[in-house]
Amino acid sequence: MAPAAGSVNATPAAISALLSKFGDADSDIRYMSLNDLDKILRSGAQGFLSNEYQICAKVVESLLKTLDDTNGEKAPADILAPLIDRLSTLKTTNAVDNSIPATALRTFLTVFPRPVAGVQPHRSTQDAYSAISKVLIPRLVGYVVISHGVRTQISPPPAMLEVKQDNTVDHDALDVLIELIRCFGPLLQDAEKKALQKSTMVIFNHERTSTIAKKKAVSAISLLTLYMSDALLSSFVSNILESFSRPSLTASQHRLLMTMLASLARTVPQRFGIYIKNLAPFVLGALSEKEYRAALQESADVGAVDTEAEEVREAALLALESFLLSCSHDMRPFTDDSIQAGLRFVAYDPNVAAEEDDDVMGGTQEDADDEDQDKSEEEEEEEEDFEEEGGMSDEDDASWKIRRCAAKALHAITSTRSNGDLLDNGVLYQKIAPILVARFQEREENVRLEVLSTMTTLVHKTSDSTRTLFSFAGEPEFELSSIAESRSRKRRRLGSDATLFESPVSSVPILGFQSPENSPPPNSGPRADLARLSSTITRGVSKLLKESTPATKQSSIALLRKIVLVQRGGLSEHFKLIAGPLIEAIKLSSGGSSSQSVGTAASASSGKLRIEALQLVCAVCDHHSSTIIAPHVPGLVSAAVIAAQDKYVKVSSEAMVAVESLLKVLTPPRSASAEQTNRKFVEQLYDVVLDRAVATDADVEVRQRALHALGVLLARDSRHSKANVLSKAQLQKATEVLLDRLRNETTRLSAVRAVSIFLNSLQDPGKTQARWMRAVTLELGTQLRKANRGLRGANLAALRDLAGNPAALSHLDGGTIEALMGMLLPLVSATDLNLLGMTLVILGKLVRHSPSQIVDQNLTAALCGIIVTPLAGAVLDALLLLLKAVGEQGIGQPLMQSLLQDVGVNGDAAIVGKAIGTLLVAGGPTVGVKLDDFVRELQSAPDDQRKCLALSVLGEAGLRLQSNSPLEPALFTNYFNSKSQSLPRAAATALGRAGAGNIQTYLPVILSATSQSGSSQYLSLHAIKEILQFSSQSKAALSPYTRQVWDTLLAASQAEDNKAVGAECIGRLAIIEPQTFLPLLKRYLQDRTPSVRGMAIQAIRFTLSDSDEAFDEVLRPMLIHLLTLMLNDEDLENRRLALGTLNSATHNKSDIIFPNLTDLVPLVMKESRVKPELVREVQMGPFKHKVDDGLEVRKSAYETLYTLMEGAYSRINPVDLFDRIGDGLEDEHEIQILCNLMLTKLVALDPDETGRQVDVIVDRYRSILTFKLKDTAVKQEIEKLNEANKGVLKVTLLLHDSLSVKTSSASNPPSEKWKGYWDWVAKEFRGQLASVEQEMKSQTA
């Protein structure tokens, strides 16, 4: 008899028949197949598929493909619910793996479309959650939590999370719960959260459930707290507090509660912080002095330790570490107790005879150190043997876990409380550092590594700025950039921006090139504390370097290197103790096996140890006197040569840097002379440098660094004829190798830089051959055609050094210069101003050497082409220097004619006028025109353009002629009252420039005009500004008028239009006589009139960028007080100006600002907050619009924070900084951009703290990315939104890379909130993310 209609045979064959339909092209057939499968599973017997493994596997695979179906519809709730119900009740009695049902459920959960916190879920996501809420959650907890409108509920089977009669728990059910919360946590309702929490806590609190089950319960609860409401979280924490207070609390329960607290602090740090004040006493109570003494007494009485009590202490220390890292701001009231707990248990070792209290707590550390210094090595070895016999190798001893956790807690304090906090007040060095040094002799490897890591972090934080620690020996980039920065600060005071291009970069001393100056440490502060302790640290580390594992040696050497870099020395007295072990570490074979990982510390291979040792050698050589290193030179040279030939690229590359540092030590001027004792070592280094530079089997990086070392060696030899560092044969071979590498594509950039170093130091023409110099010149010129901009810039820098070196130029013949000129000419173009500036400097130097070969019709046409473009700054000054050189050589007439006829009024009158005026004065009668011709042009020109050009020419000529100028002030002042828009301003500028050359004649006239009102006063102020810009050249002539100028400027600056230019003039005048005028400015900052205070603030700002050393000496004692007065000003606009002044001071007076940031940063952060009283509502027609008067002040505050963070992050509290960034990401668009820039820097500066704050960042970023504009949005709003999204995605990519690296190298993975956010961004913004990533790669290429 046929089955009834609609019935389905529940057989394996029926299921097999459905499998092929799951892949059908018709979505309806796919849907019906899924529906038929549901009916079969409903009607089939419990075990009808028990023996059909292959069919079950195919069904699961087909279901997964169906759930991932992008063309058809997702399975609705009425299909998913029975499937989940079937899986949750499936019994696998005869199966090998009983976790199959749970694995299937977890797979379903991961395949379902997930919700994203803060984003409206899709319909498919809501359907999946509905099925889970109806079936899976009741199945987990054992009862229906939410009815979903169904009146008649069928009681579910027994709960999957229940504790069975045999006290066991289904671990797989806990895995399902964790996956459920991870995937659908944002959609869970409070009732469901309470039910899941209750069931999980039953497992957690049950006395007989397994440890694995309790750990999984902790993980589940921690995940659930991410989605708990504040009320639910508060209730949960209250229950934990009650549990701590129970008299019947067992040690096991105590430990689990500590574990729970640690997990919660890591999972929801921002929300958990408010409960720290109630929870921290329970954690610290388990680590109190009373508990410590009781543990030691029990160990002494019984002869054994209480294992459960030990586990409680370990868990308490882990919780303390989590509190300190995740909620450092809330832990501040418990700072002293936390430090004492860490110090107490970092030395906790009940199996060893108790030490004296002073030794444990550091009370007599200095005395102990003094005694240790007097001990002989034999006595130390005897003590070590005695300690080894004292039972230290007890395999059952687990107290090392407590010591390791205590060291981690101290590391947390050091890393989170050092920025302008416990480091500056001396707590870290006075309390923590001595104990850490005492624990260097810790017997357990992993504890010792944690101690060394903590000490290294403390030394790292001691640096005045992070920039010091990010540079490493042998690389010139840091020093060059810092010198270039200081040069740029002085360039206007020197009178020519061309020094930026003219001063050769390679002339800046490379680190270690000269003998280091051993400046004494400061009298107070972190560096002074480190200096006092460094001797003890070095002695302690020297013992570790003699006999310890590679991991300990590597950590010890890293600590020493940090000490050297921070102190710029510090090993002078004790280098002899570490030199031998250091040499042995470098000589290790990279092919040796790596040491095994110990605990959480990473294993250190011999290669990494050698790299660390080589870097320490570089640091020592660059920061210590040659006399300190001389006794150990044989061993160091031998080790460096061996390492340079190593097959491991990173070792050989670092060895080449060490070779270069040793060459600096062994050669003049650091070595008194090239003595015979040094010569053999120099020859060894020379051989290995030459070998590595040309070796085809060497890595490119090794060859590049070898070439840099070769350039340094040639520079040492070429300073004068008596510096016979190399023989003639060696010198010739070295230069030929350099020329050959210059022609090689892979090494030419490094070879160019080496040539630049060599040419800049060359003083004796006999050190090079004319043939070689000409070949190098032509090769450098040829490479100017390459597409690589960096290569072209390096070649221009080398040519600049060549052109500025008479010894090098003497080897060039006419043909070479003519060929070089043809290669330089294409760069005389405004398409790349940086290359143009250096090209003009080179041409200016060559003109003085071979004028007839350089200045021709082609150069004239090229110069006229760039003069019509808007030039300024260093490029314009380089052009004027070239024109001056052309005029002085008496060949400027063709160029002058072209400037007058071809350029004329076609370009900017100010630029063209300066060019013509410079050439006119330098060329004199040889240029074909006279000064009077331009005077007549000014008086007879029919249009304003020609008159402006004439005024500019006359002003420049007056400046350069100085007192010989026949021009009268009236020639310029007559045009002050012109009705033209451009002529009066051009006349004022020309008057000022002419007056700067002849102050006695011009300044009285200008001051007289300044006393008038109206436009004459305004124009006269601009003339005074031009004069003061050249004050360094005419200071003596200006001195008799300074008081009169000051009074005149103060009176004129009261007018609204004159405030800005008047303040600039007052500031520049204060630079001339700081002793007189700075106290006056300080008095004006306290004036009752806001405009007067604002003028003083602006004036002080203008002094900061152009001042000199004499001005700094007067400014230093009062600058911080001045800034404090400004930042506390009552006027909103004045506070904005004050923030700009602080920003400028940070750039230009960092040595004054950085030590006092603890006073200034709180004032800046105060201005970065939104102030509701400054937000007002404005009626605009029928609409109301909010206006925030404090926005501009907040923007200035964030700009200042960004500047301070870049230069002195180590002195800013990171928690406070991230708090301001979090609020800034919710502020206006401009502030969001600044916050994104700050995060971009912080990812590199402090990846650990950024990882801890990532949850707050994620919440803000999700809000930005999900913001939707109205349909009526204008183009500007759309562009702002796109820019904001782009900035968010860029930082997201950086965070993803940083957290990925952190995960692979640390034990704490990124938070679940970050994982969910990243998955969402990677899916919803895939195209934009790829575009941003490609753009970032192109920028870094």
Side-chain angles (χ1 to χ4, degrees), residues 856-1000:
D856 57 11
Q857 186 177 358
N858 294 329
L859 178 61
T860 299
L863 292 177
C864 292
I866 64 171
I867 288 176
V868 297
T869 60
L871 302 178
V875 178
L876 177 59
D877 286 341
L879 173 64
L880 297 181
L881 288 174
L882 172 58
L883 295 175
K884 181 181 178 182
V886 172
E888 289 175 347
Q889 299 303 315
I891 54 175
Q893 184 173 357
L895 180 57
M896 178 65 79
Q897 291 177 353
S898 296
L899 290 175
L900 295 174
Q901 296 175 5
D902 300 335
V903 180
V905 295
N906 295 325
D908 186 350
I911 297 174
V912 179
K914 288 180 180 180
I916 295 176
T918 301
L919 186 59
L920 174 68
V921 174
T926 62
V927 295
V929 292
K930 299 179 180 179
L931 190 64
D932 293 339
D933 296 334
F934 293 98
V935 175
R936 288 192 293 271
E937 176 72 10
L938 174 62
Q939 296 170 347
S940 60
D943 57 82
D944 292 343
Q945 287 183 327
R946 297 181 185 278
K947 288 183 178 181
C948 287
L949 178 59
L951 283 170
S952 181
V953 172
L954 293 173
E956 190 69 23
L959 171 66
R960 296 182 178 276
L961 288 172
Q962 297 186 355
S963 59
N964 296 324
S965 172
L967 303 176
E968 295 295 331
L971 181 66
F972 304 99
T973 57
N974 289 338
Y975 294 92
F976 275 17
N977 296 321
S978 174
K979 296 181 180 180
S980 170
Q981 293 184 350
S982 56
L983 201 55
R985 183 65 178 272
T989 302
L991 174 65
R993 295 185 75 84
N998 193 354
I999 289 178
Q1000 292 86 349

Side-chain angles (χ1 to χ4, degrees), residues 513-515 626 664-665 667-673 716 719-720:
F513 207 87
Q514 303 288 341
S515 295
S626 300
K664 298 171 192 173
V665 171
T667 54
R670 291 191 59 180
S671 178
S673 62
R716 295 293 212 179
R719 286 190 173 272
H720 50 81

